[in-house]
Amino acid sequence: MQWDIFCRVVDNFGDIGVSWRLARALAQRSPHAVRLFVDDWDTLRRLLPCAPAVPAPFVDSKVSVQPWAVAEAPTTLADGVIEAFACALPPIYLAAMRDTQTPPVWINLEYLSAEDWIEDCHGLPSPDPATGLAKTFFFPGFTARSGGLIREPDVFSRRDAAQAETGRHQWLAAYGGADVSASAQWISLFAYDNPRLVPRLTDWQISETPVVLWVPEGTVWRGLMPWLGESHAAQTCWQRGALTVCALPFLSMEDYDRLLAMCDVNFVRGEDSFVRAQWAARPFVWQAYPQADAAHVDKMEAFLGRYLTKVDTANAAVIEAMWRDWNGLGAQEQAWQRFSAALPTLRQHARQWCDQIAATDGLVERLVKMVQPDVK
Ligand code: TRH
């Protein structure tokens, strides 16, 4: 089966991050051939430095990556067309879909949400007014009645290798400064601008346990640099009390997954890193992508509602306080101290949650079953 995935980058890395993971996971499932059309080559190259410097088709991990312009000229049609995040297909491609005898299956991949309403919309066809073709809504999610989560077949073997005894030492050999401790509390930080960053840094600075904070290149440095009183240089570490801050380059996806697997706590954001933190099976704090009308708060609360179902009341309150504090819903007394003290239990829970959400089909399996219900 031939798939075409279309991705326009709205901002940041989530649009392309999710599209690339999906394309790669789909292409790994022979006999699916996948083309990925991308409109923002510079952002693509941050994630895939192997891409040519100027937009041109190339193949990586069995995915044929194409500049958007290729689909703005006549090209072959796929059997399955995925429009990531309602990005609007190129008009000429859409017209070809309308005019062909057997149009492709047309899927609109939506944003991930833990909210209940997505279950009623997942899988619903909607007629496109311009062409009369049916477009089916596909909602990634955490329940059996949603579209599931992207999970590659090797995600847990890679995680387990990173969590083996040698994992941190291998990481330090590649990225660490000479003085970075492998036995400290390791935290990764990937976040939007966040007024709660400085209180957190202060918590870590005066922590009783040494803390190593790994921070890949990105917007969060805007808040970090003034606090450190330094200018940013990649692969440098700074010591502030009990806290060692280590700057990382923007990592390959594989190394970012590896970092998440090795850390004791991960601060993640948006959509894809949020999912990856769950596969890492370590306690995490999610900064939801800020939206108008505080829609992100509903998303966060909906996720917590599911995530905390099997957590006792006291630990649930600890996680809720930490997440609400980090998402700007009011400073919570001793949020970090309580979270840190509960880490052994929270780690067990993170593992149990990961096993629970991995017990059902992943997104790719659900997508293929939706499109080819008769194929085993
Ligand atoms: O970058 P994000 O904030 O992306 C998005 C977009 O803003 C999108 O428009 C919005 O709607 C969505 O969030 C909810 O966060 P996200 O989704 O976690 O994407 C980051 C990607 O970058 C993810 O695929 C992991 C990857 N990554 C690396 O490959 N290396 C790194 O060093 C880091 C920090 C991330």
Side-chain angles (χ1 to χ4, degrees), residues 11-15 111 192 251 253 269 271-273 289:
D11 60 4
N12 304 327
F13 302 105
D15 307 290
Y111 289 110
Y192 307 113
L251 298 166
M253 277 184 158
R269 73 182 205 191
E271 177 161 331
D272 189 55
S273 57
Y289 180 72

Side-chain angles (χ1 to χ4, degrees), residues 121-133:
C121 300
H122 175 62
L124 280 191
S126 159
D128 171 49
T131 59
L133 296 173

Side-chain angles (χ1 to χ4, degrees), residues 10-18 21 46-47 111 189-190 192 216-217 249-254 256 269-274 276 289:
V10 179
D11 60 4
N12 304 327
F13 302 105
D15 307 290
I16 185 62
V18 171
R21 291 228 200 245
R46 292 291 302 284
L47 254 76
Y111 289 110
L189 177 63
F190 180 45
Y192 307 113
E217 195 181 312
F250 192 78
L251 298 166
S252 68
M253 277 184 158
E254 287 65 32
Y256 184 59
R269 73 182 205 191
E271 177 161 331
D272 189 55
S273 57
F274 169 52
R276 307 315 288 190
Y289 180 72

